[in-house]
Amino acid sequence: MKTQDHAKAAEAFIKDEPRTDWHDETLWFIRTKRDKSVHGIPEWEQLRQWASDIKDHTLSNLSNYLIEFEKNATANGITVHWAQDAKEHNDIILEIARGHNVKRMVKSKSMLTEECHLNPFLMEHGIEVVDTDLGERIVQLRHEPPSHIVLPAIHLKKQDVSETFHEFLHTEKGNNDPQYLAEAARQHLRNKFIESQLSLTGVNFAVAETGGFVVCTNEGNADMGAHAAAVHIACMGIEKIIPKAEHLSIFLRLLARSATGQPITTYSSHFHKPRPGQQMHLVIVDNGRTKQLGRADFKNSLKCIRCAACFNTCPVYRRSGGHSYHSTVAGPIGAILNPNLNMKENADLPFASTLCGSCSNVCPVKIDIHDQLWKWRQEISAEGHVATVKKAGMKGMAFILSRPGLYRFSGKMGRWIMRKMPFLFRNKLNPWYKQREMPKAPAKSFRDWYIKNKKS
Amino acid sequence: MSAREDILKAVAANQPSSKLLPVVDISAVIAYDDVIKQFTTVLESIGGKVISIPDLQSVKEEMATGTQQGKVMVNAIPELGTIDQTLAEATAHQLAAVDTFFTKGIIGVAENGSVWVAESNMLNRLLPFICQHLVLLVEKKNIVATMHHAYQQVDTFSEGFGAFIAGPSKTADIEQSLVIGAHGARSLVVYLL
Amino acid sequence: MRVGLFVPCYIDQFYPQVAVATLQILEKLGCEVVFPLNQTCCGQPMANSGFASLSKGCDANFVKNFTDVDYIVSSSGSCVLHIKEHLHDKNKQQASFIRSHIYELTEFLTDILKVKNIEASFPHKVGLHISCHGQRGLHVSSMTELVAPSFSKPEQLLSMVKGLQLTLPVRPDECCGFGGTFCVFEEAVSVKMGKDRITEHNANEVEYITGIDTSCLMHLEGILKRQGSNVKTIHIAEILNSQLA
């Protein structure tokens, strides 16, 4: 349930200008690391094209690939479950957990489980869920949602982390040293791994031809959990499928470089069969994805590999923070995914953009993000989710601007009023005027000049 | 109808018209004059260490020294010494005290400093991750240029589990300060034979 | 060569000098320039706000006005991009002709007129703001995100201007924050983005900020004036036309 729309939330965020600058610079730095990394790969644009084409092909044959994937995964000893929505997903996980009398669970990063609000659901049912990705653990302790899909705690400074760890992990008060704090987290979470009965991971890529899947982390938390616990559950959206193992070469070359500028994450773990004695489950989730698949203008958003390069490059995201998008997935990709889930709630998101197009350029799978933002705006206004005042204004504008005589008259009048009655524009009611001066209103338009000077 | 049927039906109904798979031309990708040099440069830039060795003598000594110091050294390389097969069944509790784990890497990738480690060389899937320090032995002739070459040469799904490991574990989640040693190993040494 | 001059509505009304400069340059470079008197607006403000359905009137008027020309040229990257991507009309043939023959000024000068030198003089320190729609939409220059050869049509033209000292901000292609109606509906972000661009140009101690889109410049100018800054904005057409014989 959203509390504020993006514009209001962004305004509140920007009030602390130094912190906004810090947030913006931090994310821009990640963009520059990405640039440095990709400019070292001469074939980078070709890689993007291959990845885009593979994803296009996969989405166009998705039902066959899902069937192939399930068949192979099952043959390898993995139990495959299907969930149409968040509720079914959560129920399945609860059932598996109950079946093993699980009271303690560790979870590595999975945006899907965030989307399904799994943690609060399991906690309600008496199961302790510990997020083991350091960023996620930090926001979990703070009872906050993550603000970035790859760097969940990017909005927090080390003082914030220090305070949280002091409260929950009993670290020294005021000790902000990242090394010290990370070590404390290592010890604390190591115990959780060792004690856990069930490990839940996400899936970065699911390979149809083998029935296996790949999980990428820098911290090793997915592996620490999965190989220690008696039960491993992996959750994936239907769009995570890729056809062949060899395609991983392309996606693994693109993913980390796009996300953080690293050539690859520390661990790219390929799960194929459960270890002897272990139970492995896979939950394949729809939750609105088939609906998006059916939208010709927006299906390309399902190609997303969750790298967040679009977040890091977006000048609006950097200056408004992930929480202002009031959704699990923020940033430009969130703005084209979320309206599909609930158009009314997310009507503001496609407008939280200047359509600069930088996002589309950094997307490793060439999603036409900025074009989709434009198209969502048309859908949203057609469905009536744009403010009546705005719609009336637009209608008025269209009326005037399509009639040459009326356009010229309005322009002349407007300029005259601006010159003779400037106070009408120079006040709080005019959002432009809040922090900007109005442009000068000349006495003559270009057309006036042309008629006087050029027209024979 | 089950969720499975409903989902597959919806996918089949909504999926766009068929597009072909692209032809991936590996000859178009980056090549390095010296793959070993590139591998070394990249791995060292991401916190790993690369040491060229003529034989396993120094590694044996390292293992012996550690054992003498009372550290738990676990070996999974037959040529290096005995392998405690009972560790295959060990739990996380039992493996928590492992200091250094020695194992083989099948292939190394120059573009990103990663090494493919297969389950059959891990003894226990937890070992490469739960140890404090990881030591990988890779043959120089098995260093390839890119991931494309790696996937051509290795069937990454021939065993139950495997991983590309690139350097020690790390995190930058605390105000983007890089910390080496998150949950996995605190250090990684690759011995090139 | 018969060139139809398309003057964006806000240039016609608020920055006529930009259109004057555009017309003068084109004439000096040998074009026969016509200005269809009944042109109004390309329809972008409505379309980008989700009301492309309301642009039909503007589209029809545009098509009606721009007949019987070899090219259409305008001093606005965003308006040209909008026409290229979204102009549709009952008169499909004419609409199609327009879409494939409309150019932003710097691309017209570089690609069609193939200008190699310009008799212009502008002895000032100038910061370049490369407007997003012109850059990423029309490819008037390369983009920092892409791994591709570097080029810039505006920079190429500005390098022909005597005495001009050109600087680029540290983030050469970050958006200024205007974004159409975004500038008022997301006012806080819009202004913050504009302020940050200005900070980077100030670090280069520029006297002027130039670009290919008056909308960007209008937004930056509004902030500069509020800050009491001496830095002025000027459209590239005015620089290229300065002190032409």
Side-chain angles (χ1 to χ4, degrees):
Chain A
M1 200 63 217
K2 103 177 151 191
T3 45
Q4 277 188 322
D5 72 3
H6 181 272
K8 279 242 136 38
E11 191 179 1
F13 186 90
I14 288 175
K15 274 203 169 66
D16 185 345
E17 199 167 349
R19 193 159 174 131
T20 302
D21 288 337
W22 164 80
H23 186 264
D24 165 66
E25 276 151 22
T26 303
L27 284 153
W28 180 258
F29 182 56
I30 300 168
R31 157 80 209 270
T32 58
K33 283 198 285 192
R34 171 256 174 215
D35 284 358
K36 193 157 175 238
S37 180
V38 316
H39 284 276
I41 305 289
E43 71 272 21
W44 181 258
E45 299 302 329
Q46 177 64 81
L47 269 182
R48 291 177 70 215
Q49 191 60 52
W50 284 332
S52 174
D53 292 344
I54 291 168
K55 282 279 182 174
D56 280 340
H57 163 82
T58 308
L59 288 178
S60 73
N61 293 285
L62 191 58
S63 54
N64 285 339
Y65 281 123
L66 281 167
I67 292 168
E68 185 189 352
F69 176 71
E70 180 197 40
K71 178 163 146 267
N72 289 325
T74 308
N76 290 322
I78 301 177
T79 308
V80 177
H81 309 259
W82 299 76
Q84 285 188 279
D85 54 28
K87 182 178 182 304
E88 284 184 17
H89 165 269
N90 295 347
D91 286 341
I92 289 166
I93 290 169
L94 180 63
E95 203 188 320
I96 297 169
R98 279 201 168 136
H100 292 270
N101 283 317
V102 169
K103 289 281 171 256
R104 294 178 308 278
M105 194 170 113
V106 289
K107 184 159 80 78
S108 69
K109 205 185 287 147
S110 162
M111 293 322 296
L112 175 60
T113 62
E114 275 286 330
E115 197 184 299
C116 298
H117 304 291
L118 179 69
N119 288 18
F121 174 80
L122 290 176
M123 310 243 279
E124 265 173 51
H125 288 91
I127 298 175
E128 176 198 72
V129 183
V130 174
D131 279 321
T132 60
D133 171 273
L134 181 56
E136 293 219 313
R137 184 60 176 153
I138 293 167
V139 297
Q140 181 178 46
L141 291 172
R142 293 171 66 90
H143 300 288
E144 279 178 35
S147 68
H148 187 286
I149 60 180
V150 169
L151 312 160
I154 194 76
H155 60 292
L156 298 171
K157 293 191 161 200
K158 44 185 194 268
Q159 298 91 286
D160 304 317
V161 179
S162 173
E163 275 161 29
T164 303
F165 279 12
H166 171 66
E167 190 183 336
F168 293 98
L169 306 185
H170 312 296
T171 51
E172 278 167 33
K173 193 173 169 72
N175 188 337
N176 299 343
D177 177 41
Q179 191 90 29
Y180 168 74
L181 295 169
E183 181 68 31
R186 180 189 172 93
Q187 297 309 326
H188 155 72
L189 287 168
R190 199 169 171 87
N191 287 333
K192 299 288 181 190
F193 291 126
I194 291 167
E195 302 292 327
S196 82
Q197 303 158 298
L198 189 152
S199 156
L200 200 144
T201 69
V203 166
N204 288 88
F205 305 101
V207 182
E209 86 173 335
T210 66
F213 58 93
V214 177
V215 183
C216 303
T217 71
N218 277 320
E219 299 179 22
N221 54 314
D223 291 288
M224 283 294 279
H227 307 309
V231 183
H232 174 192
I233 306 176
C235 302
M236 57 177 270
I238 54 173
E239 82 283 23
K240 291 301 175 86
I241 298 273
I242 60 173
K244 296 173 193 282
E246 75 199 48
H247 295 146
L248 288 167
S249 61
I250 291 166
F251 290 103
L252 291 179
R253 295 187 76 202
L254 289 165
L255 179 62
R257 288 187 173 99
S258 301
T260 57
Q262 299 170 272
I264 195 169
T265 50
T266 306
Y267 305 101
S268 307
S269 299
H270 293 46
F271 291 84
H272 193 209
K273 297 177 194 181
R275 72 170 184 275
Q278 183 193 42
Q279 264 211 22
M280 206 185 261
H281 296 263
L282 204 50
V283 185
I284 301 178
V285 182
D286 181 353
N287 203 30
R289 288 155 174 75
T290 51
K291 192 169 176 199
Q292 186 84 322
L293 188 62
R295 296 183 192 264
D297 286 336
F298 308 112
K299 61 167 164 61
N300 279 341
S301 60
L302 293 173
K303 288 156 63 171
C304 178
I305 61 173
R306 302 291 194 268
C307 71
C310 59
F311 289 47
N312 304 335
T313 200
C314 179
V316 176
Y317 173 85
R318 283 186 265 113
R319 293 176 181 82
S320 56
H323 291 156
S324 60
Y325 292 76
H326 54 75
S327 303
T328 302
V329 179
I333 188 68
I336 62 174
L337 288 172
N338 299 327
N340 172 58
L341 301 172
N342 186 326
M343 210 186 286
K344 186 159 178 237
E345 285 279 302
N346 298 301
D348 57 329
L349 298 182
F351 292 91
S353 162
T354 57
L355 303 179
C356 78
S358 189
C359 50
S360 303
N361 278 351
V362 297
C363 178
V365 289
K366 299 185 95 158
I367 300 171
D368 51 336
I369 303 174
H370 75 293
D371 286 335
Q372 291 192 35
L373 287 168
W374 189 91
K375 288 174 181 163
W376 268 120
R377 294 178 184 192
Q378 313 306 323
E379 277 288 313
I380 286 165
S381 73
E383 290 292 314
H385 296 298
V386 171
T388 322
V389 160
K390 193 175 181 186
K391 187 171 182 182
M394 288 294 138
K395 277 192 161 152
M397 231 174 145
F399 187 84
I400 294 170
L401 292 173
S402 56
R403 290 162 174 74
L406 186 54
Y407 155 74
R408 291 194 287 271
F409 176 76
S410 309
K412 193 169 177 178
M413 274 313 296
R415 281 180 285 116
W416 187 86
I417 293 172
M418 278 173 75
R419 285 196 314 278
K420 303 295 179 193
M421 296 186 256
F423 57 87
L424 282 181
F425 293 92
R426 295 184 189 166
N427 59 63
K428 283 198 200 85
L429 294 175
N430 178 5
W432 174 278
Y433 192 70
K434 221 173 149 184
Q435 300 184 75
R436 290 167 284 214
E437 289 302 315
M438 295 293 289
K440 262 220 215 42
K444 301 265 177 239
S445 68
F446 170 75
R447 188 180 183 276
D448 294 331
W449 176 93
Y450 183 83
I451 289 174
K452 183 168 175 218
N453 293 284
K454 299 297 290 186
K455 195 167 178 232
S456 42
Chain B
M1 269 223 272
S2 67
R4 177 185 185 277
E5 261 70 68
D6 283 340
I7 293 172
L8 286 172
K9 190 160 162 242
V11 172
N14 290 353
Q15 65 198 11
S17 57
S18 193
K19 299 224 163 65
L20 292 174
L21 264 178
V23 174
V24 177
D25 175 16
I26 292 189
S27 68
V29 309
I30 198 169
Y32 302 103
D33 292 329
D34 185 340
V35 287
I36 311 258
K37 186 153 172 248
Q38 183 67 19
F39 176 82
T40 305
T41 306
V42 177
L43 183 49
E44 296 198 336
S45 77
I46 56 179
K49 212 162 152 200
V50 182
I51 300 171
S52 207
I53 48 173
D55 54 46
L56 294 177
Q57 191 53 35
S58 53
V59 190
K60 283 183 185 158
E61 280 163 19
E62 185 185 325
M63 205 161 71
T65 310
T67 311
Q68 275 163 30
Q69 291 169 344
K71 296 182 187 162
V72 180
M73 307 264 122
V74 176
N75 173 42
I77 304 172
E79 295 85 341
L80 205 57
T82 51
I83 298 175
D84 181 0
Q85 295 292 350
T86 66
L87 292 179
E89 311 293 311
T91 63
H93 275 280
Q94 292 162 330
L95 295 175
V98 172
D99 183 278
T100 309
F101 176 54
F102 298 78
T103 189
K104 271 189 195 165
I106 311 274
I107 202 167
V109 186
E111 69 159 317
N112 54 33
S114 69
V115 177
W116 175 255
V117 184
E119 181 169 36
S120 53
N121 290 322
M122 289 182 191
L123 193 52
N124 183 309
R125 288 185 187 185
L126 254 182
L127 277 167
F129 308 97
I130 203 166
C131 64
Q132 302 290 340
H133 305 282
L134 182 61
V135 174
L136 298 176
L137 182 68
V138 181
E139 287 181 66
K140 281 187 179 141
K141 64 179 169 70
N142 290 334
I143 304 289
V144 298
T146 71
M147 295 297 276
H148 303 286
H149 301 95
Y151 277 92
Q152 252 187 346
Q153 295 194 25
V154 177
D155 179 354
T156 56
F157 290 101
S158 61
E159 300 187 23
F161 176 76
F164 280 103
I165 300 180
S169 70
K170 51 177 145 341
T171 179
D173 273 333
I174 299 175
E175 212 180 312
Q176 284 297 293
S177 293
L178 183 65
V179 175
I180 304 280
H183 304 300
R186 297 174 190 271
S187 78
L188 177 75
V189 174
V190 172
Y191 285 110
L192 286 179
L193 191 58
Chain C
M1 199 178 286
R2 199 171 149 86
V3 173
L5 183 66
F6 159 37
V7 178
C9 54
Y10 59 98
I11 291 183
D12 179 37
Q13 297 296 323
F14 293 100
Y15 296 91
Q17 69 273 28
V18 174
V20 171
T22 306
L23 183 150
Q24 289 179 340
I25 300 170
L26 289 170
E27 285 189 335
K28 261 121 199 177
L29 292 169
C31 300
E32 181 202 346
V33 183
V34 297
F35 172 70
L37 290 171
N38 286 321
Q39 61 183 282
T40 54
C41 169
C42 67
Q44 191 187 187
M46 285 85 73
N48 283 3
S49 300
F51 293 91
S53 55
L54 294 177
S55 299
K56 288 198 181 51
C58 285
D59 287 355
N61 190 56
F62 196 93
V63 172
K64 213 164 84 179
N65 273 270
F66 286 94
T67 55
D68 192 29
V69 288
D70 299 318
Y71 295 98
I72 301 143
V73 178
S74 179
S75 285
S76 165
S78 66
C79 301
V80 168
L81 182 66
H82 174 79
I83 295 287
K84 274 183 106 126
E85 292 191 334
H86 300 296
L87 181 75
H88 293 289
D89 188 59
K90 301 197 286 278
N91 187 343
K92 288 199 172 122
Q93 206 181 353
Q94 186 57 15
S96 170
F97 177 84
I98 290 171
R99 286 197 307 270
S100 52
H101 289 80
I102 187 166
Y103 287 84
E104 177 274 335
L105 180 68
T106 62
E107 23 161 36
F108 187 72
L109 295 183
T110 312
D111 298 343
I112 305 297
L113 296 186
K114 301 202 203 300
V115 169
K116 291 287 181 274
N117 51 61
I118 279 185
E119 288 300 311
S121 164
F122 196 77
H124 298 283
K125 210 162 178 196
V126 179
L128 176 64
H129 173 71
I130 187 69
S131 310
C132 301
H133 294 132
Q135 184 197 29
R136 296 192 182 87
L138 299 175
H139 297 267
V140 301
S141 86
S142 54
M143 301 150 235
T144 56
E145 303 100 358
L146 299 179
V147 179
S150 200
F151 72 94
S152 169
K153 297 174 193 180
E155 280 184 61
Q156 196 178 310
L157 291 165
L158 288 170
S159 71
M160 301 173 196
V161 179
K162 289 182 205 40
L164 190 148
Q165 272 184 283
L166 188 66
T167 65
L168 292 177
V170 166
R171 298 185 196 178
D173 49 21
E174 170 123 325
C175 179
C176 69
F178 175 73
T181 51
F182 180 90
C183 74
V184 289
F185 290 114
E186 286 257 6
E187 185 266 348
V189 182
S190 173
V191 171
K192 179 65 182 141
M193 284 168 70
K195 279 163 78 175
D196 290 348
R197 295 295 80 241
I198 288 168
T199 303
E200 289 195 2
H201 284 289
N202 282 340
N204 289 329
E205 293 174 329
V206 302
E207 297 165 66
Y208 288 88
I209 297 174
T210 193
I212 63 172
D213 245 292
T214 300
S215 45
C216 308
L217 297 173
M218 177 171 71
H219 163 71
L220 292 176
E221 179 189 62
I223 299 170
L224 284 164
K225 287 210 169 121
R226 180 60 61 89
Q227 292 175 337
S229 169
N230 289 324
V231 176
K232 297 192 254 304
T233 58
I234 184 169
H235 191 278
I236 198 172
E238 299 175 78
I239 293 179
L240 298 176
N241 192 44
S242 60
Q243 295 179 257
L244 231 55

